[in-house]
């Protein structure tokens, strides 16, 4: 399998989110208004076997909630962050054709921040180890 299959499996899980916010995929234009940015970050690949033939890929999925600045936006964004974190519970295994993704720790909900003085952003970081 490939990194493409791994990312497809992560996309499918992220698509199951129930926040009501549209997801911005890598390379797509940002939706107008509130949305979630999907950003996979690959740390590296290795093969723990002596003979080769088993790839392990470590990385993180950054799901960033982006909401227009306004009254009560931090509380709403934090609620969305809780919903996203619940999609990737530790130690969940997500199967995909030819491989498996292991969520290696509870999702990190990071402190929100103001971006460009117009949007409140809350990152949700999901660490994973995939083998195929």
């Amino acid at each position: 399998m490939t990194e493409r299959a791994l990312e497809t499996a992560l996309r499918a899980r992220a698509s199951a989110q129930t926040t009501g916010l549209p997801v911005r995929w890598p390379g797509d234009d940002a939706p107008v208004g509130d949305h979630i940015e999907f950003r996979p970050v690959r740390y590296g690949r290795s093969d723990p076997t002596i003979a080769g033939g088993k790839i392990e890929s470590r990385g993180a999925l950054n799901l960033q909630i982006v909401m227009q600045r306004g009254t009560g936006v931090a509380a709403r964004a934090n609620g969305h962050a809780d919903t996203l974190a619940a999609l990737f519970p530790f130690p969940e295994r997500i199967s995909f054709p030819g491989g498996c993704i292991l969520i290696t720790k509870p999702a990190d909900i990071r402190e929100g921040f103001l971006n460009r003085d117009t949007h409140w952003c809350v990152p949700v970081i999901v660490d994973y180890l995939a083998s195929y």
Side-chain angles (χ1 to χ4, degrees), residues 21-22 24 30-37 65-68 119:
L21 300 176
R24 176 184 178 195
V32 175
D34 301 345
H35 62 277
I36 297 167
E37 292 185 1
I65 294 127
V66 179
M67 300 185 72
Q68 297 211 355
H119 290 84

Side-chain angles (χ1 to χ4, degrees), residues 35-59:
H35 62 277
I36 297 167
E37 292 185 1
F38 176 95
R39 296 179 183 160
V41 180
R42 295 179 184 96
Y43 298 152
R45 298 186 330 158
S46 63
D47 186 334
T49 66
I50 294 173
K54 181 181 179 184
I55 294 176
E56 289 187 343
S57 179
R58 289 191 176 275

